[in-house]
Amino acid sequence: MPSSIIDCAPYQAELLALASTLPTVPRADLYAFFEDAKRLAERLPQELRDGLDDFNAHGNADGYLLLRGLPVEPDDELPATPASSPAPADRQLLNMEAMLCVVGGALGLLTAYDQGYGNRRSITVLHELYPTPEAHPLSGSTSKTQLEFHTDLSHHAHQPNYILLSCSRGDHEGKAATLVGSIRKALPLLSDEVRDQLFEGKFTLRYDATDPEATVRTRPLYGDRSDPYVSFNRSCVSAETPQDVAALSALSTALTDVIEPVLLTRGDLLIIDNFRIAHGRAPFTARWDGKDRWLHRAYVRTDRNGQLSGGERAGDVVPFAARR
């Protein structure tokens, strides 16, 4: 399986040249922007393209691919870290947004999701993650508390294959590591009996903290029994029988035992295999000084697990459909 880190520093000039051909205001026409980004993905440096193709086809034991040394603006040329969302429609393209979209185009379709929370969350393809003072503890905008292990959108019938995180600014103290737990590493720590229970037991995922009726049935392990996918949320999944409770606890422990912290710094882009991992984030201290941690995030669909039925485009919004 391929390495989990690719050094992109030797390609910075080439990547900057690619980014310079993209529309300068991406949100003016996202469909056109993503089409251009997908075309540019074919022109990525060959070693980088090969690494992305290998990861897309086979994954790896770590459950992520980290691109380091991508071109990013000098910090004093970046806007202040945002304090509200969504991003202004007329904001000029940032380098790490460009890298996010070109790499996403190499993997599949950049996609927006109606996540089933009514109108409380903006529905957009290009998300931004930065600390906010009153963030919910289960939100990516929290900073004071650890963001607990979870699989993104595991309640959605068309759960995305990949989560992409690109970094324009890291946190001040270098503490906000993304915590990645790979099922390929955790599986050998689980007994056959526990594995069977995780495949066959009855588990409930509560996906909206404000609505106790917003639940779906879930299977923590599914797919190929020898190389399964994982669906896990430490804060929101419950079990019905003592055997299921014990199996869920064993999975939580195994994923914790194989945690790998990945600290994102300026110019990093992290691709998370959302079928093979649970992830979280270590707490950090925000300063609210315009220079706090600032990530760009996007979801990517591929043709795995019924995510695509035909005719979809990058930039589409996927209506909410609960996992069954």
Side-chain angles (χ1 to χ4, degrees), residues 5-16 18-19 44-45 48-49 52 65-74 94-104 164-168 264-271 296:
I5 300 176
I6 298 177
D7 179 12
C8 299
Y11 316 125
Q12 281 196 4
E14 189 174 351
L15 292 169
L16 269 175
L18 286 180
L44 285 168
L48 175 53
R49 181 73 202 207
L52 292 170
L65 185 65
L66 177 61
L67 311 185
R68 303 222 99 137
L70 294 166
V72 60
E73 297 86 351
L94 303 176
N95 286 346
M96 293 310 292
E97 287 181 313
M99 295 299 101
L100 184 84
C101 294
V102 174
V103 169
L164 274 59
L165 300 170
S166 66
C167 182
S168 282
L264 296 181
T265 59
R266 289 166 41 80
D268 287 349
L269 193 159
L270 181 64
I271 305 166
H296 313 278

mmCIF file of all heavy atoms in Angstrom, residues 5-16 18-19 44-45 48-49 52 65-74 94-104 164-168 264-271 296:
data_model
loop_
_atom_site.group_PDB
_atom_site.id
_atom_site.type_symbol
_atom_site.label_atom_id
_atom_site.label_comp_id
_atom_site.label_asym_id
_atom_site.label_seq_id
_atom_site.Cartn_x
_atom_site.Cartn_y
_atom_site.Cartn_z
ATOM 1 N N ILE A 5 2.358 9.930 3.332
ATOM 2 C CA ILE A 5 2.811 11.315 3.222
ATOM 3 C C ILE A 5 3.483 11.526 1.868
ATOM 4 O O ILE A 5 4.308 10.719 1.440
ATOM 5 C CB ILE A 5 3.787 11.691 4.354
ATOM 6 C CG1 ILE A 5 3.126 11.525 5.718
ATOM 7 C CG2 ILE A 5 4.278 13.122 4.179
ATOM 8 C CD1 ILE A 5 4.051 11.792 6.889
ATOM 9 N N ILE A 6 3.109 12.606 1.196
ATOM 10 C CA ILE A 6 3.757 12.998 -0.057
ATOM 11 C C ILE A 6 4.304 14.412 0.117
ATOM 12 O O ILE A 6 3.563 15.326 0.495
ATOM 13 C CB ILE A 6 2.780 12.970 -1.247
ATOM 14 C CG1 ILE A 6 2.250 11.549 -1.481
ATOM 15 C CG2 ILE A 6 3.467 13.479 -2.516
ATOM 16 C CD1 ILE A 6 1.212 11.461 -2.590
ATOM 17 N N ASP A 7 5.595 14.586 -0.135
ATOM 18 C CA ASP A 7 6.224 15.891 -0.059
ATOM 19 C C ASP A 7 5.996 16.620 -1.382
ATOM 20 O O ASP A 7 6.515 16.220 -2.427
ATOM 21 C CB ASP A 7 7.723 15.734 0.213
ATOM 22 C CG ASP A 7 8.447 17.079 0.278
ATOM 23 O OD1 ASP A 7 7.755 18.117 0.345
ATOM 24 O OD2 ASP A 7 9.694 17.076 0.254
ATOM 25 N N CYS A 8 5.225 17.697 -1.331
ATOM 26 C CA CYS A 8 4.882 18.447 -2.539
ATOM 27 C C CYS A 8 5.743 19.687 -2.733
ATOM 28 O O CYS A 8 5.543 20.427 -3.713
ATOM 29 C CB CYS A 8 3.409 18.857 -2.497
ATOM 30 S SG CYS A 8 2.271 17.463 -2.430
ATOM 31 N N ALA A 9 6.675 19.941 -1.814
ATOM 32 C CA ALA A 9 7.497 21.141 -1.921
ATOM 33 C C ALA A 9 8.214 21.253 -3.266
ATOM 34 O O ALA A 9 8.304 22.363 -3.825
ATOM 35 C CB ALA A 9 8.495 21.196 -0.766
ATOM 36 N N PRO A 10 8.724 20.147 -3.846
ATOM 37 C CA PRO A 10 9.406 20.282 -5.142
ATOM 38 C C PRO A 10 8.491 20.740 -6.275
ATOM 39 O O PRO A 10 8.986 21.164 -7.327
ATOM 40 C CB PRO A 10 9.930 18.863 -5.406
ATOM 41 C CG PRO A 10 10.015 18.212 -4.070
ATOM 42 C CD PRO A 10 8.875 18.779 -3.304
ATOM 43 N N TYR A 11 7.173 20.661 -6.074
ATOM 44 C CA TYR A 11 6.227 20.993 -7.141
ATOM 45 C C TYR A 11 5.550 22.341 -6.932
ATOM 46 O O TYR A 11 4.589 22.666 -7.634
ATOM 47 C CB TYR A 11 5.140 19.918 -7.238
ATOM 48 C CG TYR A 11 5.640 18.510 -7.167
ATOM 49 C CD1 TYR A 11 5.139 17.628 -6.214
ATOM 50 C CD2 TYR A 11 6.623 18.035 -8.031
ATOM 51 C CE1 TYR A 11 5.587 16.329 -6.135
ATOM 52 C CE2 TYR A 11 7.089 16.732 -7.956
ATOM 53 C CZ TYR A 11 6.571 15.889 -6.998
ATOM 54 O OH TYR A 11 7.017 14.595 -6.912
ATOM 55 N N GLN A 12 6.002 23.125 -5.950
ATOM 56 C CA GLN A 12 5.267 24.345 -5.602
ATOM 57 C C GLN A 12 5.080 25.280 -6.796
ATOM 58 O O GLN A 12 3.977 25.786 -7.021
ATOM 59 C CB GLN A 12 5.979 25.082 -4.469
ATOM 60 C CG GLN A 12 5.723 24.480 -3.104
ATOM 61 C CD GLN A 12 6.106 25.425 -1.980
ATOM 62 O OE1 GLN A 12 6.494 26.573 -2.212
ATOM 63 N NE2 GLN A 12 5.990 24.959 -0.752
ATOM 64 N N ALA A 13 6.138 25.509 -7.555
ATOM 65 C CA ALA A 13 6.015 26.434 -8.681
ATOM 66 C C ALA A 13 5.025 25.905 -9.709
ATOM 67 O O ALA A 13 4.201 26.667 -10.250
ATOM 68 C CB ALA A 13 7.385 26.664 -9.323
ATOM 69 N N GLU A 14 5.078 24.597 -9.979
ATOM 70 C CA GLU A 14 4.169 23.988 -10.946
ATOM 71 C C GLU A 14 2.726 24.068 -10.463
ATOM 72 O O GLU A 14 1.807 24.360 -11.238
ATOM 73 C CB GLU A 14 4.590 22.538 -11.179
ATOM 74 C CG GLU A 14 3.880 21.841 -12.303
ATOM 75 C CD GLU A 14 4.448 20.455 -12.580
ATOM 76 O OE1 GLU A 14 5.514 20.111 -11.999
ATOM 77 O OE2 GLU A 14 3.819 19.717 -13.355
ATOM 78 N N LEU A 15 2.528 23.840 -9.171
ATOM 79 C CA LEU A 15 1.177 23.883 -8.614
ATOM 80 C C LEU A 15 0.636 25.314 -8.597
ATOM 81 O O LEU A 15 -0.559 25.545 -8.843
ATOM 82 C CB LEU A 15 1.168 23.278 -7.215
ATOM 83 C CG LEU A 15 1.435 21.775 -7.157
ATOM 84 C CD1 LEU A 15 1.676 21.317 -5.720
ATOM 85 C CD2 LEU A 15 0.287 20.985 -7.771
ATOM 86 N N LEU A 16 1.490 26.266 -8.293
ATOM 87 C CA LEU A 16 1.056 27.666 -8.336
ATOM 88 C C LEU A 16 0.644 28.072 -9.747
ATOM 89 O O LEU A 16 -0.339 28.797 -9.932
ATOM 90 C CB LEU A 16 2.173 28.577 -7.842
ATOM 91 C CG LEU A 16 2.196 28.911 -6.350
ATOM 92 C CD1 LEU A 16 3.427 29.729 -6.012
ATOM 93 C CD2 LEU A 16 0.916 29.630 -5.924
ATOM 94 N N LEU A 18 -0.620 26.093 -12.017
ATOM 95 C CA LEU A 18 -1.938 25.515 -12.253
ATOM 96 C C LEU A 18 -3.019 26.358 -11.584
ATOM 97 O O LEU A 18 -4.043 26.687 -12.192
ATOM 98 C CB LEU A 18 -1.990 24.084 -11.712
ATOM 99 C CG LEU A 18 -1.274 22.987 -12.486
ATOM 100 C CD1 LEU A 18 -1.462 21.654 -11.772
ATOM 101 C CD2 LEU A 18 -1.783 22.883 -13.915
ATOM 102 N N ALA A 19 -2.789 26.700 -10.318
ATOM 103 C CA ALA A 19 -3.804 27.455 -9.569
ATOM 104 C C ALA A 19 -4.082 28.804 -10.213
ATOM 105 O O ALA A 19 -5.216 29.307 -10.163
ATOM 106 C CB ALA A 19 -3.349 27.643 -8.126
ATOM 107 N N LEU A 44 -1.676 17.516 -12.806
ATOM 108 C CA LEU A 44 -0.862 17.480 -11.602
ATOM 109 C C LEU A 44 0.472 16.793 -11.888
ATOM 110 O O LEU A 44 0.554 15.921 -12.762
ATOM 111 C CB LEU A 44 -1.594 16.727 -10.491
ATOM 112 C CG LEU A 44 -2.745 17.467 -9.802
ATOM 113 C CD1 LEU A 44 -3.554 16.508 -8.937
ATOM 114 C CD2 LEU A 44 -2.226 18.636 -8.963
ATOM 115 N N PRO A 45 1.528 17.140 -11.155
ATOM 116 C CA PRO A 45 2.799 16.424 -11.313
ATOM 117 C C PRO A 45 2.593 14.911 -11.201
ATOM 118 O O PRO A 45 1.809 14.450 -10.361
ATOM 119 C CB PRO A 45 3.643 16.961 -10.155
ATOM 120 C CG PRO A 45 3.078 18.323 -9.888
ATOM 121 C CD PRO A 45 1.601 18.213 -10.154
ATOM 122 N N LEU A 48 2.701 13.039 -7.838
ATOM 123 C CA LEU A 48 1.559 13.381 -6.995
ATOM 124 C C LEU A 48 0.303 12.709 -7.518
ATOM 125 O O LEU A 48 -0.476 12.126 -6.739
ATOM 126 C CB LEU A 48 1.388 14.896 -6.956
ATOM 127 C CG LEU A 48 0.171 15.454 -6.206
ATOM 128 C CD1 LEU A 48 0.092 14.912 -4.797
ATOM 129 C CD2 LEU A 48 0.209 16.974 -6.208
ATOM 130 N N ARG A 49 0.071 12.762 -8.813
ATOM 131 C CA ARG A 49 -1.106 12.125 -9.398
ATOM 132 C C ARG A 49 -1.089 10.627 -9.135
ATOM 133 O O ARG A 49 -2.121 10.031 -8.772
ATOM 134 C CB ARG A 49 -1.142 12.399 -10.915
ATOM 135 C CG ARG A 49 -2.351 11.785 -11.619
ATOM 136 C CD ARG A 49 -3.634 12.525 -11.301
ATOM 137 N NE ARG A 49 -4.789 11.703 -11.522
ATOM 138 C CZ ARG A 49 -5.991 12.159 -11.835
ATOM 139 N NH1 ARG A 49 -6.199 13.450 -11.952
ATOM 140 N NH2 ARG A 49 -7.005 11.349 -12.015
ATOM 141 N N LEU A 52 -2.109 9.931 -5.526
ATOM 142 C CA LEU A 52 -3.552 10.097 -5.334
ATOM 143 C C LEU A 52 -4.315 8.925 -5.930
ATOM 144 O O LEU A 52 -5.265 8.406 -5.314
ATOM 145 C CB LEU A 52 -4.015 11.407 -5.965
ATOM 146 C CG LEU A 52 -3.521 12.694 -5.305
ATOM 147 C CD1 LEU A 52 -3.853 13.902 -6.174
ATOM 148 C CD2 LEU A 52 -4.138 12.861 -3.915
ATOM 149 N N LEU A 65 -4.070 10.238 3.629
ATOM 150 C CA LEU A 65 -2.942 10.647 2.802
ATOM 151 C C LEU A 65 -2.699 12.123 3.089
ATOM 152 O O LEU A 65 -3.621 12.937 3.019
ATOM 153 C CB LEU A 65 -3.248 10.435 1.319
ATOM 154 C CG LEU A 65 -2.107 10.709 0.334
ATOM 155 C CD1 LEU A 65 -0.966 9.723 0.546
ATOM 156 C CD2 LEU A 65 -2.616 10.619 -1.107
ATOM 157 N N LEU A 66 -1.462 12.461 3.446
ATOM 158 C CA LEU A 66 -1.110 13.826 3.815
ATOM 159 C C LEU A 66 -0.183 14.415 2.756
ATOM 160 O O LEU A 66 0.892 13.879 2.492
ATOM 161 C CB LEU A 66 -0.427 13.843 5.183
ATOM 162 C CG LEU A 66 0.072 15.196 5.697
ATOM 163 C CD1 LEU A 66 -1.088 16.174 5.859
ATOM 164 C CD2 LEU A 66 0.812 15.025 7.028
ATOM 165 N N LEU A 67 -0.616 15.509 2.152
ATOM 166 C CA LEU A 67 0.204 16.246 1.195
ATOM 167 C C LEU A 67 0.829 17.422 1.937
ATOM 168 O O LEU A 67 0.114 18.256 2.508
ATOM 169 C CB LEU A 67 -0.645 16.755 0.031
ATOM 170 C CG LEU A 67 -1.570 15.748 -0.655
ATOM 171 C CD1 LEU A 67 -2.252 16.386 -1.854
ATOM 172 C CD2 LEU A 67 -0.818 14.489 -1.073
ATOM 173 N N ARG A 68 2.156 17.481 1.959
ATOM 174 C CA ARG A 68 2.872 18.525 2.678
ATOM 175 C C ARG A 68 3.577 19.452 1.699
ATOM 176 O O ARG A 68 3.956 19.056 0.607
ATOM 177 C CB ARG A 68 3.919 17.929 3.621
ATOM 178 C CG ARG A 68 3.377 16.951 4.632
ATOM 179 C CD ARG A 68 4.020 17.173 5.989
ATOM 180 N NE ARG A 68 3.175 17.948 6.868
ATOM 181 C CZ ARG A 68 2.984 17.644 8.163
ATOM 182 N NH1 ARG A 68 3.575 16.597 8.701
ATOM 183 N NH2 ARG A 68 2.225 18.416 8.907
ATOM 184 N N GLY A 69 3.736 20.703 2.107
ATOM 185 C CA GLY A 69 4.520 21.640 1.321
ATOM 186 C C GLY A 69 3.817 22.208 0.113
ATOM 187 O O GLY A 69 4.474 22.628 -0.846
ATOM 188 N N LEU A 70 2.488 22.253 0.140
ATOM 189 C CA LEU A 70 1.750 22.886 -0.955
ATOM 190 C C LEU A 70 1.915 24.408 -0.873
ATOM 191 O O LEU A 70 2.211 24.957 0.188
ATOM 192 C CB LEU A 70 0.276 22.496 -0.868
ATOM 193 C CG LEU A 70 -0.031 21.017 -1.110
ATOM 194 C CD1 LEU A 70 -1.449 20.693 -0.665
ATOM 195 C CD2 LEU A 70 0.167 20.647 -2.573
ATOM 196 N N PRO A 71 1.715 25.097 -1.979
ATOM 197 C CA PRO A 71 1.927 26.546 -1.970
ATOM 198 C C PRO A 71 0.833 27.276 -1.195
ATOM 199 O O PRO A 71 -0.353 27.066 -1.428
ATOM 200 C CB PRO A 71 1.894 26.916 -3.451
ATOM 201 C CG PRO A 71 1.082 25.840 -4.105
ATOM 202 C CD PRO A 71 1.375 24.589 -3.329
ATOM 203 N N VAL A 72 1.235 28.118 -0.276
ATOM 204 C CA VAL A 72 0.298 28.916 0.516
ATOM 205 C C VAL A 72 0.826 30.344 0.573
ATOM 206 O O VAL A 72 2.036 30.577 0.540
ATOM 207 C CB VAL A 72 0.136 28.324 1.941
ATOM 208 C CG1 VAL A 72 1.451 28.295 2.701
ATOM 209 C CG2 VAL A 72 -0.939 29.046 2.733
ATOM 210 N N GLU A 73 -0.069 31.302 0.617
ATOM 211 C CA GLU A 73 0.331 32.695 0.677
ATOM 212 C C GLU A 73 1.154 32.977 1.942
ATOM 213 O O GLU A 73 0.942 32.328 2.971
ATOM 214 C CB GLU A 73 -0.898 33.620 0.694
ATOM 215 C CG GLU A 73 -1.763 33.567 -0.546
ATOM 216 C CD GLU A 73 -2.803 32.469 -0.501
ATOM 217 O OE1 GLU A 73 -2.759 31.622 0.429
ATOM 218 O OE2 GLU A 73 -3.662 32.448 -1.391
ATOM 219 N N PRO A 74 2.048 33.947 1.906
ATOM 220 C CA PRO A 74 2.649 34.442 3.155
ATOM 221 C C PRO A 74 1.543 34.851 4.121
ATOM 222 O O PRO A 74 0.508 35.373 3.711
ATOM 223 C CB PRO A 74 3.480 35.646 2.705
ATOM 224 C CG PRO A 74 3.772 35.385 1.257
ATOM 225 C CD PRO A 74 2.564 34.666 0.719
ATOM 226 N N LEU A 94 -8.093 31.557 -2.579
ATOM 227 C CA LEU A 94 -6.892 31.330 -1.783
ATOM 228 C C LEU A 94 -6.169 30.093 -2.304
ATOM 229 O O LEU A 94 -6.792 29.162 -2.834
ATOM 230 C CB LEU A 94 -7.258 31.143 -0.316
ATOM 231 C CG LEU A 94 -8.038 32.289 0.342
ATOM 232 C CD1 LEU A 94 -8.425 31.921 1.760
ATOM 233 C CD2 LEU A 94 -7.224 33.576 0.322
ATOM 234 N N ASN A 95 -4.857 30.068 -2.120
ATOM 235 C CA ASN A 95 -4.081 28.950 -2.657
ATOM 236 C C ASN A 95 -4.545 27.605 -2.112
ATOM 237 O O ASN A 95 -4.649 26.618 -2.849
ATOM 238 C CB ASN A 95 -2.594 29.133 -2.341
ATOM 239 C CG ASN A 95 -1.943 30.197 -3.191
ATOM 240 O OD1 ASN A 95 -2.503 30.643 -4.194
ATOM 241 N ND2 ASN A 95 -0.745 30.616 -2.795
ATOM 242 N N MET A 96 -4.835 27.540 -0.813
ATOM 243 C CA MET A 96 -5.202 26.243 -0.234
ATOM 244 C C MET A 96 -6.630 25.846 -0.592
ATOM 245 O O MET A 96 -6.979 24.671 -0.523
ATOM 246 C CB MET A 96 -4.990 26.243 1.282
ATOM 247 C CG MET A 96 -3.516 26.345 1.679
ATOM 248 S SD MET A 96 -2.436 25.143 0.823
ATOM 249 C CE MET A 96 -3.018 23.600 1.537
ATOM 250 N N GLU A 97 -7.475 26.812 -0.987
ATOM 251 C CA GLU A 97 -8.757 26.461 -1.591
ATOM 252 C C GLU A 97 -8.528 25.855 -2.970
ATOM 253 O O GLU A 97 -9.164 24.857 -3.338
ATOM 254 C CB GLU A 97 -9.645 27.690 -1.732
ATOM 255 C CG GLU A 97 -10.233 28.217 -0.450
ATOM 256 C CD GLU A 97 -11.122 29.421 -0.712
ATOM 257 O OE1 GLU A 97 -10.712 30.333 -1.456
ATOM 258 O OE2 GLU A 97 -12.238 29.451 -0.152
ATOM 259 N N ALA A 98 -7.618 26.448 -3.734
ATOM 260 C CA ALA A 98 -7.318 25.921 -5.065
ATOM 261 C C ALA A 98 -6.788 24.498 -4.968
ATOM 262 O O ALA A 98 -7.219 23.598 -5.706
ATOM 263 C CB ALA A 98 -6.299 26.824 -5.767
ATOM 264 N N MET A 99 -5.850 24.259 -4.038
ATOM 265 C CA MET A 99 -5.282 22.915 -3.883
ATOM 266 C C MET A 99 -6.355 21.915 -3.450
ATOM 267 O O MET A 99 -6.400 20.782 -3.933
ATOM 268 C CB MET A 99 -4.146 22.948 -2.858
ATOM 269 C CG MET A 99 -2.937 23.780 -3.258
ATOM 270 S SD MET A 99 -2.129 23.180 -4.772
ATOM 271 C CE MET A 99 -2.774 24.339 -5.997
ATOM 272 N N LEU A 100 -7.230 22.347 -2.552
ATOM 273 C CA LEU A 100 -8.327 21.490 -2.092
ATOM 274 C C LEU A 100 -9.177 21.027 -3.271
ATOM 275 O O LEU A 100 -9.526 19.848 -3.387
ATOM 276 C CB LEU A 100 -9.182 22.261 -1.096
ATOM 277 C CG LEU A 100 -10.341 21.528 -0.422
ATOM 278 C CD1 LEU A 100 -9.831 20.749 0.780
ATOM 279 C CD2 LEU A 100 -11.411 22.523 0.030
ATOM 280 N N CYS A 101 -9.503 21.957 -4.164
ATOM 281 C CA CYS A 101 -10.432 21.646 -5.251
ATOM 282 C C CYS A 101 -9.768 20.841 -6.361
ATOM 283 O O CYS A 101 -10.394 19.951 -6.946
ATOM 284 C CB CYS A 101 -11.044 22.933 -5.798
ATOM 285 S SG CYS A 101 -12.095 23.771 -4.591
ATOM 286 N N VAL A 102 -8.508 21.127 -6.671
ATOM 287 C CA VAL A 102 -7.819 20.344 -7.696
ATOM 288 C C VAL A 102 -7.596 18.919 -7.211
ATOM 289 O O VAL A 102 -7.850 17.944 -7.936
ATOM 290 C CB VAL A 102 -6.492 21.022 -8.087
ATOM 291 C CG1 VAL A 102 -5.706 20.124 -9.041
ATOM 292 C CG2 VAL A 102 -6.750 22.373 -8.742
ATOM 293 N N VAL A 103 -7.144 18.755 -5.980
ATOM 294 C CA VAL A 103 -6.947 17.406 -5.437
ATOM 295 C C VAL A 103 -8.284 16.681 -5.319
ATOM 296 O O VAL A 103 -8.394 15.495 -5.650
ATOM 297 C CB VAL A 103 -6.232 17.478 -4.071
ATOM 298 C CG1 VAL A 103 -6.255 16.131 -3.365
ATOM 299 C CG2 VAL A 103 -4.792 17.949 -4.255
ATOM 300 N N GLY A 104 -9.324 17.391 -4.873
ATOM 301 C CA GLY A 104 -10.652 16.772 -4.805
ATOM 302 C C GLY A 104 -11.119 16.311 -6.168
ATOM 303 O O GLY A 104 -11.713 15.237 -6.305
ATOM 304 N N LEU A 164 -11.601 16.188 2.876
ATOM 305 C CA LEU A 164 -10.371 16.908 2.562
ATOM 306 C C LEU A 164 -10.262 18.118 3.474
ATOM 307 O O LEU A 164 -11.215 18.893 3.605
ATOM 308 C CB LEU A 164 -10.339 17.365 1.102
ATOM 309 C CG LEU A 164 -9.804 16.372 0.059
ATOM 310 C CD1 LEU A 164 -10.597 15.080 0.043
ATOM 311 C CD2 LEU A 164 -9.794 17.014 -1.320
ATOM 312 N N LEU A 165 -9.096 18.272 4.101
ATOM 313 C CA LEU A 165 -8.816 19.413 4.960
ATOM 314 C C LEU A 165 -7.518 20.056 4.492
ATOM 315 O O LEU A 165 -6.464 19.407 4.500
ATOM 316 C CB LEU A 165 -8.651 18.977 6.425
ATOM 317 C CG LEU A 165 -9.830 18.288 7.102
ATOM 318 C CD1 LEU A 165 -9.411 17.717 8.446
ATOM 319 C CD2 LEU A 165 -10.982 19.266 7.283
ATOM 320 N N SER A 166 -7.583 21.315 4.059
ATOM 321 C CA SER A 166 -6.360 22.019 3.700
ATOM 322 C C SER A 166 -6.155 23.173 4.665
ATOM 323 O O SER A 166 -7.121 23.766 5.165
ATOM 324 C CB SER A 166 -6.413 22.517 2.255
ATOM 325 O OG SER A 166 -7.405 23.503 2.077
ATOM 326 N N CYS A 167 -4.893 23.497 4.940
ATOM 327 C CA CYS A 167 -4.560 24.400 6.027
ATOM 328 C C CYS A 167 -3.924 25.681 5.506
ATOM 329 O O CYS A 167 -2.825 25.653 4.941
ATOM 330 C CB CYS A 167 -3.608 23.693 6.997
ATOM 331 S SG CYS A 167 -3.143 24.691 8.429
ATOM 332 N N SER A 168 -4.624 26.800 5.708
ATOM 333 C CA SER A 168 -4.031 28.113 5.463
ATOM 334 C C SER A 168 -3.279 28.625 6.680
ATOM 335 O O SER A 168 -2.264 29.314 6.554
ATOM 336 C CB SER A 168 -5.115 29.120 5.073
ATOM 337 O OG SER A 168 -5.515 28.952 3.729
ATOM 338 N N LEU A 264 -1.763 19.571 11.387
ATOM 339 C CA LEU A 264 -1.771 20.296 10.121
ATOM 340 C C LEU A 264 -1.136 21.674 10.299
ATOM 341 O O LEU A 264 -1.504 22.433 11.200
ATOM 342 C CB LEU A 264 -3.199 20.451 9.602
ATOM 343 C CG LEU A 264 -3.930 19.152 9.255
ATOM 344 C CD1 LEU A 264 -5.320 19.455 8.733
ATOM 345 C CD2 LEU A 264 -3.151 18.339 8.248
ATOM 346 N N THR A 265 -0.195 21.975 9.417
ATOM 347 C CA THR A 265 0.454 23.276 9.401
ATOM 348 C C THR A 265 0.245 23.901 8.032
ATOM 349 O O THR A 265 -0.260 23.270 7.099
ATOM 350 C CB THR A 265 1.948 23.143 9.716
ATOM 351 O OG1 THR A 265 2.566 22.285 8.740
ATOM 352 C CG2 THR A 265 2.157 22.540 11.100
ATOM 353 N N ARG A 266 0.633 25.158 7.884
ATOM 354 C CA ARG A 266 0.427 25.894 6.644
ATOM 355 C C ARG A 266 0.948 25.098 5.448
ATOM 356 O O ARG A 266 2.083 24.628 5.443
ATOM 357 C CB ARG A 266 1.157 27.231 6.717
ATOM 358 C CG ARG A 266 0.543 28.225 7.649
ATOM 359 C CD ARG A 266 1.470 29.401 7.959
ATOM 360 N NE ARG A 266 2.203 29.885 6.802
ATOM 361 C CZ ARG A 266 1.697 30.689 5.867
ATOM 362 N NH1 ARG A 266 0.426 31.064 5.949
ATOM 363 N NH2 ARG A 266 2.433 31.114 4.868
ATOM 364 N N GLY A 267 0.090 24.959 4.426
ATOM 365 C CA GLY A 267 0.495 24.243 3.229
ATOM 366 C C GLY A 267 0.255 22.748 3.262
ATOM 367 O O GLY A 267 0.652 22.042 2.338
ATOM 368 N N ASP A 268 -0.418 22.250 4.298
ATOM 369 C CA ASP A 268 -0.767 20.830 4.384
ATOM 370 C C ASP A 268 -2.170 20.596 3.849
ATOM 371 O O ASP A 268 -3.064 21.440 4.027
ATOM 372 C CB ASP A 268 -0.734 20.329 5.836
ATOM 373 C CG ASP A 268 0.667 20.182 6.379
ATOM 374 O OD1 ASP A 268 1.633 20.264 5.598
ATOM 375 O OD2 ASP A 268 0.793 19.985 7.613
ATOM 376 N N LEU A 269 -2.367 19.437 3.246
ATOM 377 C CA LEU A 269 -3.699 18.993 2.827
ATOM 378 C C LEU A 269 -3.851 17.540 3.239
ATOM 379 O O LEU A 269 -3.062 16.690 2.834
ATOM 380 C CB LEU A 269 -3.888 19.153 1.316
ATOM 381 C CG LEU A 269 -5.324 19.022 0.774
ATOM 382 C CD1 LEU A 269 -5.427 19.688 -0.597
ATOM 383 C CD2 LEU A 269 -5.797 17.576 0.667
ATOM 384 N N LEU A 270 -4.844 17.280 4.060
ATOM 385 C CA LEU A 270 -5.096 15.939 4.594
ATOM 386 C C LEU A 270 -6.316 15.336 3.904
ATOM 387 O O LEU A 270 -7.383 15.953 3.878
ATOM 388 C CB LEU A 270 -5.339 16.015 6.099
ATOM 389 C CG LEU A 270 -5.607 14.705 6.835
ATOM 390 C CD1 LEU A 270 -4.389 13.778 6.767
ATOM 391 C CD2 LEU A 270 -5.983 14.978 8.293
ATOM 392 N N ILE A 271 -6.140 14.138 3.353
ATOM 393 C CA ILE A 271 -7.240 13.377 2.745
ATOM 394 C C ILE A 271 -7.568 12.237 3.689
ATOM 395 O O ILE A 271 -6.727 11.359 3.933
ATOM 396 C CB ILE A 271 -6.840 12.830 1.370
ATOM 397 C CG1 ILE A 271 -6.349 13.943 0.454
ATOM 398 C CG2 ILE A 271 -8.023 12.080 0.739
ATOM 399 C CD1 ILE A 271 -5.618 13.423 -0.783
ATOM 400 N N HIS A 296 -9.729 24.695 5.377
ATOM 401 C CA HIS A 296 -10.760 24.596 4.343
ATOM 402 C C HIS A 296 -11.131 23.117 4.233
ATOM 403 O O HIS A 296 -10.252 22.249 4.244
ATOM 404 C CB HIS A 296 -10.231 25.129 3.017
ATOM 405 C CG HIS A 296 -9.530 26.448 3.162
ATOM 406 N ND1 HIS A 296 -10.200 27.653 3.222
ATOM 407 C CD2 HIS A 296 -8.220 26.736 3.307
ATOM 408 C CE1 HIS A 296 -9.333 28.621 3.392
ATOM 409 N NE2 HIS A 296 -8.114 28.102 3.438
#
